[in-house]
Amino acid sequence: MEAPARVILGDLGEMCRGVQHPVRGLFLRYYLLQVVKDKLPDVGSDVGGDGGSRPDSIDFILANFGEMTKLWVRMQHQGPIQDREKREMERTELKVLVGANLERLSTLEGMTLSLYSSHVLPPLLEQVINCKDGLAQAYLLECISQVRSALIHPSYSRAHAAIPRKSHRIPVALAKVFPIEYHVASLPLLLRHLDWLSPTADVNAILVNLMDKLGAPHGAMYSTHLQVRRGAGQPAGTSRAAAAACVMCEY
């Protein structure tokens, strides 16, 4: 008798705990995520029903994200003190492996705003707070707040047009995460968690980055929701950054 997919996924995640070396563990869990990406229980998938459900897939990805975050943070404590700068560079290069979990979450067919707000974002923010590392918290919040429609900012394309493609370091996992509607609807929840960040985290930079994401030009995709947030008394040209600022002020 074959075991359900959710049981196999849980066993695979537990087996990966046997590799505690930070770099090897990161690559192993990233490989696991890529191998099972088309085998996760989801709406319309072949492994649904008794094999598992969408919440099982979400739990598996969140657990993998949490373990990869721990391994990534531990990299700063490996080796002698004089190599700390080198280790920080390695962490910066490997952070895309952690962000790949969020990209996979966003591609689940059954992902909705309600599901994101209730079952995805709260545990993500909890893991961000628990890692207690300023660099990691800033990057993970940047991952969470990435806007799906903004693949590469126009200013980046102009500035890097002459650079060979191999040297571009825009992580693919960050280029297409959750729609902007999700971010604005859940903005108060995200802002409340900023109070619990590590003292070494640059909250001002995080807020500026968030405002830039919400204020970037995305055409008319978000115009209807913006009109609701704007209210009847605000001018028609109000940007989403201004709307986000209003929400922050309300907070």
Side-chain angles (χ1 to χ4, degrees):
M1 181 178 178
E2 295 183 356
R6 63 177 181 274
V7 176
I8 297 176
L9 290 173
D11 289 344
L12 288 173
E14 287 299 320
M15 290 172 65
C16 287
R17 290 177 179 269
V19 179
Q20 287 298 309
H21 186 280
V23 177
R24 295 173 184 171
L26 274 175
F27 278 100
L28 176 61
R29 287 189 171 273
Y30 177 77
Y31 175 75
L32 172 64
L33 183 68
Q34 300 306 309
V35 168
V36 304
K37 64 180 180 181
D38 58 345
K39 300 175 178 62
L40 296 176
D42 196 7
V43 175
S45 68
D46 296 334
V47 292
D50 295 337
S53 59
R54 186 175 60 243
D56 295 319
S57 298
I58 294 176
D59 291 342
F60 168 77
I61 298 174
L62 288 176
N64 197 58
F65 172 79
E67 292 299 323
M68 291 183 71
T69 299
K70 294 175 184 177
L71 292 169
W72 185 54
V73 171
R74 279 176 49 198
M75 287 182 63
Q76 65 178 319
H77 304 299
Q78 302 294 313
I81 298 179
Q82 57 267 29
D83 293 339
R84 185 178 183 86
E85 183 176 349
K86 178 181 178 181
R87 292 197 301 271
E88 290 300 319
M89 293 178 60
E90 292 177 347
R91 288 184 67 197
T92 302
E93 293 177 352
L94 295 178
K95 64 184 182 181
V96 64
L97 303 181
V98 183
N101 291 277
L102 302 183
E103 188 273 335
R104 185 62 188 94
L105 269 177
S106 69
T107 59
L108 292 176
E109 293 293 335
M111 184 60 64
T112 63
L113 174 58
S114 175
L115 190 62
Y116 172 79
S117 301
S118 59
H119 292 83
V120 175
L121 184 59
L124 280 179
L125 292 176
E126 182 178 353
Q127 292 183 18
V128 171
I129 300 301
N130 289 338
C131 76
K132 302 184 185 302
D133 177 75
L135 175 64
Q137 290 174 339
Y139 168 71
L140 296 176
L141 287 174
E142 179 187 352
C143 287
I144 294 172
S145 62
Q146 285 293 324
V147 177
R148 174 179 293 176
S149 61
L151 296 184
I152 297 180
H153 195 277
S155 62
Y156 176 86
S157 300
R158 291 192 298 269
H160 294 72
I163 301 179
R165 182 175 299 272
K166 289 184 178 180
S167 63
H168 287 192
R169 293 192 176 274
I170 292 296
V172 176
L174 300 187
K176 45 180 180 177
V177 189
F178 298 102
I180 192 171
E181 292 91 341
Y182 289 21
H183 299 308
V184 174
S186 59
L187 186 58
L189 176 62
L190 189 149
L191 293 176
R192 285 197 296 271
H193 282 75
L194 295 185
D195 290 338
W196 303 327
L197 294 179
S198 168
T200 59
D202 191 346
V203 178
N204 290 334
I206 293 173
L207 288 174
V208 170
N209 178 67
L210 180 61
M211 297 275 287
D212 288 342
K213 297 294 188 303
L214 298 180
H218 297 282
M221 175 190 68
Y222 192 63
S223 59
T224 302
H225 191 93
L226 180 58
Q227 290 174 2
V228 175
R229 293 297 309 168
R230 175 190 304 137
Q234 293 183 346
T238 304
S239 68
R240 276 191 301 277
C246 292
V247 175
M248 293 178 182
C249 292
E250 292 173 2
Y251 164 74

